[in-house]
Amino acid sequence: MAAFRPAVAIAAKFIPMNANPVSLLSKATVVAKSDATASRHFRPTAETFLNPALANAPDLPLLDVNFCGECLPLDQSDVVDRWKHVFTLFRSHASDLGNLQQRADSFFPIIDPILAKYDIPDDFRYIPLAESALRPRAVSRVGAAGYWQLMPGTARDLGLKVGKRVDERFNVQKATDAACRYLRALYSQLGSWSLVAAAYNAGPGLIKNQLKRYAHRDYYRMNLPRETRYYLYRVLLYKEVMSRPNDYSSFLSPAPQTAYRAWQPIGFQQAA
């Protein structure tokens, strides 16, 4: 989550946190094409050359994917490239999916009613997975903490107690309520849930500057920092593998050995 700025902003290196209505891809008809077989739609990019595993990955099903009803525009080659990139990075850690599902089974029933209370779309339940991998005592190098990775200043401005004796960022109900109030405020400013997710990661100031520079309001075409540029893809990855794992089983299993770092937000450490 991003550091708190004067107008309630969330800060960067992973503070609480990731469309564009394009023609919907049919569910099972748009089948996966590997980077090699999709040459008509896919052009190698710098991302591919920096990550050879991306070019060698097996076929990834390109299904209809959306975030809060805003479609992932898989008719754009750079979007397909990033989508395959996050899946390829996750692939060698897919064996952890069972443990993550167990944590989610306990976590979702607690936060879902709070999301509903503030009329926050269900897809935001996957933000804490991308933020903290549902580790309740997760703390980042910059001080973001808890499931939602709230920064100390952000949490205090949202009414939470943050101190040595009491830190309500680790209280799932109170932290979720605070995060939902923040998300609702962001939506009233930005009017797009994908931009809300991006602002949760990078801070609303950065997104508002983008909106001033460009005529469009399309997250997927914005000039964003790398972490924020991939943020919504990571959130959507968790949504996809958690909600319909069988559709991706051929890609995720068996997972190859890779040289990639562990799949978790940059800078994470477990609190003592």
Side-chain angles (χ1 to χ4, degrees):
M1 172 161 197
F4 208 104
R5 297 186 176 92
V8 193
I10 289 190
K13 253 334 174 207
F14 282 91
I15 54 176
M17 314 186 182
N18 267 8
N20 172 34
V22 169
S23 58
L24 263 172
L25 301 172
S26 72
K27 239 177 197 169
T29 30
V30 181
V31 193
K33 298 174 182 136
S34 69
D35 291 339
T37 60
S39 56
R40 288 180 301 169
H41 304 284
F42 175 77
R43 294 189 301 276
T45 66
E47 211 59 78
T48 308
F49 292 117
L50 288 172
N51 299 284
L54 181 61
N56 297 325
D59 291 353
L60 173 67
L62 298 183
L63 308 176
D64 59 307
V65 177
N66 75 85
F67 182 74
C68 305
E70 300 174 13
C71 298
L72 183 69
L74 291 173
D75 58 340
Q76 300 176 24
S77 60
D78 59 334
V79 171
V80 175
D81 191 16
R82 292 173 193 167
W83 189 228
K84 290 183 177 182
H85 177 64
V86 296
F87 259 94
T88 300
L89 289 177
F90 180 77
R91 195 165 176 252
S92 62
H93 307 286
S95 59
D96 296 332
L97 195 54
N99 291 333
L100 190 61
Q101 183 66 62
Q102 286 185 337
R103 295 198 291 273
D105 289 343
S106 299
F107 181 72
F108 288 161
I110 299 173
I111 72 163
D112 285 351
I114 304 174
L115 292 171
K117 171 185 173 183
Y118 290 97
D119 199 22
I120 305 295
D122 291 344
D123 286 353
F124 275 87
R125 69 192 334 216
Y126 299 102
I127 292 285
L129 278 75
E131 287 286 341
S132 64
L134 298 186
R135 295 184 177 92
R137 305 299 295 181
V139 179
S140 77
R141 287 181 305 198
V142 296
Y147 288 112
W148 291 90
Q149 287 295 279
L150 290 161
M151 294 293 287
T154 304
R156 291 189 182 100
D157 284 353
L158 291 170
L160 298 182
K161 297 177 182 177
V162 179
K164 291 184 178 180
R165 291 188 176 182
V166 177
D167 193 334
E168 293 182 333
R169 293 178 297 171
F170 298 118
N171 181 306
V172 61
Q173 289 96 342
K174 291 183 178 181
T176 300
D177 191 273
C180 285
R181 284 186 276 113
Y182 182 73
L183 294 170
R184 175 49 61 185
L186 287 177
Y187 186 75
S188 68
Q189 299 172 40
L190 301 172
S192 162
W193 288 115
S194 60
L195 295 184
V196 167
Y200 189 82
N201 175 250
L206 185 146
I207 303 303
K208 289 178 180 178
N209 287 336
Q210 287 286 307
L211 294 175
K212 291 177 182 177
R213 294 178 60 188
Y214 300 103
H216 66 78
R217 303 174 61 82
D218 185 352
Y219 163 84
Y220 299 98
R221 291 191 290 145
M222 284 185 170
N223 182 22
L224 300 168
R226 180 181 174 85
E227 180 185 318
T228 307
R229 190 166 68 246
Y230 279 92
Y231 186 75
L232 190 52
Y233 293 88
R234 293 177 53 244
V235 174
L236 283 170
L237 178 144
Y238 280 113
K239 174 186 175 181
E240 290 297 291
V241 299
M242 300 282 287
S243 62
R244 48 179 180 180
N246 292 339
D247 290 345
Y248 297 96
S249 59
S250 61
F251 179 82
L252 295 176
S253 179
Q257 294 298 315
T258 73
Y260 292 115
R261 65 181 181 276
W263 177 262
Q264 63 180 21
I266 299 169
F268 261 153
Q269 61 188 26
Q270 279 297 105

